Amino acid sequence: MNYIELASQFAPELILTIGALAIMMIGLFLANSQKKVLGYLATIFLAVASLVIVCRGIYDIQMEGILADSLTIDPMSQFFKLTFLVVSLIVVIASIKEYDGHQNQDEYYTLILLGTIGMMVVASAIDIVTMFIGFELASLSTYALAGFNKKDSNSLEAAVKYFIVGALSSTLLLFGLSYIYGMSGGLTNISELAVFFNSNPTVLQSPMGVIALMLIVAGFGFKMALVPFHMWAPDTYQGAPTVISALLAAGSKKMAFVAAFRIFLVAMIAIKIDIAMVFMILAIITMTLGNVVALSQRSLKRMLAYSSVAQAGYISMVFVVMSPEALTGGILYVMSHAFMKTGAFIAVAALGYMLLKENSNAKDVDHLDNFAGLGKRSPFLAFSIMIFLFALAGIPPTAGFVSKFILFYSVLQGGFLLLVIFAILNSALSLYYYARVVKYMYVLPPSSDEKLKVPGAYALAILLAIIGVLAIGIVPEPFVNWAANAANVLGL
């Protein structure tokens, strides 16, 4: 493969790289009042990269062994890359208004593009070293973004906690992967590791193998925010700028799932019974604790953070069942959750922006009381939030219902009735705190009769997320087929 062919295969990543460099350079010559154009530039680069993936094909493309067997381009990588790109696109569109006039917009948009490149590298990685490099590129960018509001102590606290826990999780993951590297005799390619461990299953059941598995599960547990490794998520999501919380919940965390799918369902499939037992416990406690703690939250951002923890528990059921149907449900859930969670956080960000415009001294703008009477003050925003929350609860006809139905039904088909019961009970529990927000918006009286007009950038970002949520829910077949095609890549 010559350089031109190589560049064409990684055109989306190259487009974002050029975009990041261009934004950084152009930003040097612009006054703060002119830097709004950088948001439009980032939007264009993300849109073009997404278009390249769609035009190239998302169903039947299959190229393995690129760059010394470190990267692949297959339906699964395409699925996740497009998900990351769309999430970043929605976040950037909303940020155009959020950071209008900010002096560091060039760094902000550059970091978002670099973080997206890191997520895309992880989606394509079939080598544990390349995968880890992708993780670090995405993580370093998002650490800085979490603390982007430098004058806000909550934002700085969120960034510090996120950095410390992120560094710890990377250390644990790297430590565990280094054990795998040593036990396999120096293998790093995931397919080669699968062949080796299938031929030598006892290696992973040795004391060193068990320690390696524990370290890798803990490393991924932190990155996926599974209980008891979830402690960082609520504080980080609440303290970080709200639009960045959307990127963390819908993009960065999903990056860990695509990597975990390749590690646990391919490289370590030889010990699938042990993995299934571990993840059954993690899935149950994660979905239960996430939903129970979310019940008592009065901050919408913190409630969404705990519900995100619970949703990670649902997706983790894939590692228990390990069937093509479960993986299809899990992959579809990732995309559905990306739209639902991005939209919900962006809507909360829009409300916060409008409340601060109304009263610059307003505090805790994401508090539940601020949503009282929102249906009268801003019908569009209230209706959008209701759509996202009902989708997260799994109400038809939304993406949440379709993806939960496929995932839960596949778990039932796999014979894990108890797990399905826990998942359904937790979904019912989540409906209570989602419906409580809807009650505040439509039943309680507003604190003011003055209308709130959603800025155009926020409205467009929210509209894109709604289209995604309803498209998957109303016309699910193409999305299900796409997810099934992506699941087939792993050959379960």
Side-chain angles (χ1 to χ4, degrees):
M1 183 178 291
N2 57 42
Y3 288 116
I4 296 177
E5 290 172 335
L6 187 62
S8 69
Q9 297 307 322
F10 291 98
E13 288 86 345
L14 285 176
I15 290 169
L16 294 194
T17 305
I18 293 169
L21 294 173
I23 288 171
M24 194 163 53
M25 295 303 296
I26 294 171
L28 294 175
F29 302 98
L30 297 178
N32 292 341
S33 59
Q34 298 172 316
K35 287 187 176 180
K36 189 176 183 178
V37 71
L38 299 177
Y40 294 114
L41 272 178
T43 302
I44 292 170
F45 280 111
L46 286 164
V48 171
S50 304
L51 197 60
V52 168
I53 289 182
V54 173
C55 292
R56 175 191 287 161
I58 51 180
Y59 284 99
D60 53 0
I61 192 165
Q62 186 73 45
M63 293 196 65
E64 290 192 359
I66 303 171
L67 286 177
D69 292 341
S70 61
L71 295 165
T72 183
I73 298 177
D74 55 30
M76 175 172 276
S77 68
Q78 300 295 86
F79 186 100
F80 279 91
K81 281 183 185 180
L82 195 55
T83 302
F84 299 146
L85 283 168
V86 172
V87 167
S88 298
L89 180 65
I90 294 173
V91 168
V92 164
I93 291 173
S95 301
I96 291 173
K97 193 64 181 177
E98 178 88 10
Y99 287 106
D100 186 12
H102 197 288
Q103 63 177 349
N104 299 117
Q105 289 180 71
D106 36 0
E107 289 93 335
Y108 178 81
Y109 292 115
T110 299
L111 286 170
I112 289 182
L113 295 191
L114 290 176
T116 308
I117 295 169
M119 296 177 205
M120 294 168 73
V121 169
V122 172
S124 274
I126 53 171
D127 182 281
I128 56 177
V129 176
T130 311
M131 186 179 288
F132 189 79
I133 291 170
F135 266 129
E136 290 310 291
L137 177 57
S139 299
L140 290 172
S141 302
T142 50
Y143 296 153
L145 287 168
F148 193 73
N149 292 344
K150 291 181 287 188
K151 295 180 181 177
D152 183 350
S153 59
N154 291 327
S155 179
L156 294 179
E157 181 185 345
V160 171
K161 285 183 178 176
Y162 186 35
F163 173 74
I164 292 173
V165 175
L168 175 63
S169 66
S170 294
T171 304
L172 293 174
L173 184 60
L174 184 60
F175 205 7
L177 292 177
S178 67
Y179 273 23
I180 294 294
Y181 176 81
M183 289 186 297
S184 64
L187 297 177
T188 57
N189 182 274
I190 289 175
S191 297
E192 292 177 358
L193 284 170
V195 172
F196 176 81
F197 288 129
N198 281 331
S199 304
N200 306 277
T202 54
V203 173
L204 284 173
Q205 293 165 335
S206 65
M208 185 177 285
V210 172
I211 292 172
L213 180 62
M214 290 170 61
L215 291 169
I216 292 172
V217 168
F220 276 114
F222 277 115
K223 293 187 182 300
M224 294 189 288
L226 300 179
V227 176
F229 312 107
H230 69 291
M231 301 80 73
W232 62 275
D235 291 345
T236 301
Y237 290 2
Q238 186 181 19
T242 309
V243 288
I244 295 304
S245 299
L247 183 67
L248 297 178
S252 180
K253 205 171 80 169
K254 303 300 174 292
M255 164 184 70
F257 276 100
V258 62
F261 287 153
R262 294 193 191 274
I263 291 289
F264 292 115
L265 303 185
V266 179
M268 295 188 172
I269 195 68
I271 53 166
K272 63 180 183 181
I273 295 176
D274 303 287
I275 292 172
M277 288 179 63
V278 170
F279 275 98
M280 178 179 280
I281 297 168
L282 290 177
I284 290 174
I285 61 172
T286 298
M287 65 177 84
T288 305
L289 189 139
N291 281 317
V292 169
V293 179
L295 284 172
S296 61
Q297 302 304 314
R298 306 290 291 178
S299 156
L300 255 289
K301 288 175 71 175
R302 204 166 179 83
M303 186 201 80
L304 289 172
Y306 275 108
S307 84
S308 187
V309 170
Q311 310 271 343
Y314 301 143
I315 302 173
S316 298
M317 293 192 296
V318 173
F319 301 106
V320 180
V321 185
M322 296 191 191
S323 68
E325 294 78 14
L327 184 55
T328 300
I331 290 173
L332 185 66
Y333 205 108
V334 167
M335 176 174 271
S336 303
H337 189 256
F339 281 118
M340 297 184 292
K341 197 60 82 173
T342 307
F345 271 115
I346 296 296
V348 174
L351 178 63
Y353 178 87
M354 291 186 291
L355 292 178
L356 286 173
K357 280 289 179 186
E358 197 175 59
N359 176 13
S360 59
N361 293 321
K363 293 184 178 178
D364 300 327
V365 289
D366 65 321
H367 193 279
L368 191 56
D369 291 342
N370 289 323
F371 288 76
L374 189 61
K376 293 179 180 173
R377 300 192 69 190
S378 179
F380 169 73
L381 191 60
F383 182 73
S384 305
I385 293 173
M386 184 180 70
I387 293 286
F388 295 131
L389 295 181
F390 280 171
L392 286 165
I395 303 294
T398 62
F401 170 75
V402 173
S403 51
K404 274 188 179 179
F405 177 80
I406 295 174
L407 182 58
F408 292 2
Y409 185 65
S410 68
V411 176
L412 187 63
Q413 280 184 313
F416 297 92
L417 178 61
L418 181 64
L419 199 54
V420 176
I421 291 173
F422 268 103
I424 292 174
L425 288 176
N426 271 288
S427 289
L429 187 63
S430 69
L431 185 58
Y432 171 78
Y433 58 79
Y434 291 136
R436 184 177 57 185
V437 180
V438 176
K439 173 193 161 189
Y440 267 71
M441 293 192 298
Y442 286 103
V443 177
L444 298 188
S447 57
S448 166
D449 292 330
E450 191 174 341
K451 296 289 184 184
L452 294 171
K453 185 180 179 183
V454 181
Y458 281 114
L460 178 59
I462 292 168
L463 199 57
L464 287 174
I466 288 178
I467 290 172
V469 168
L470 294 181
I472 297 174
I474 296 172
V475 193
E477 188 173 351
F479 296 97
V480 174
N481 291 339
W482 185 16
N485 205 40
N488 287 337
V489 169
L490 299 191
L492 290 176

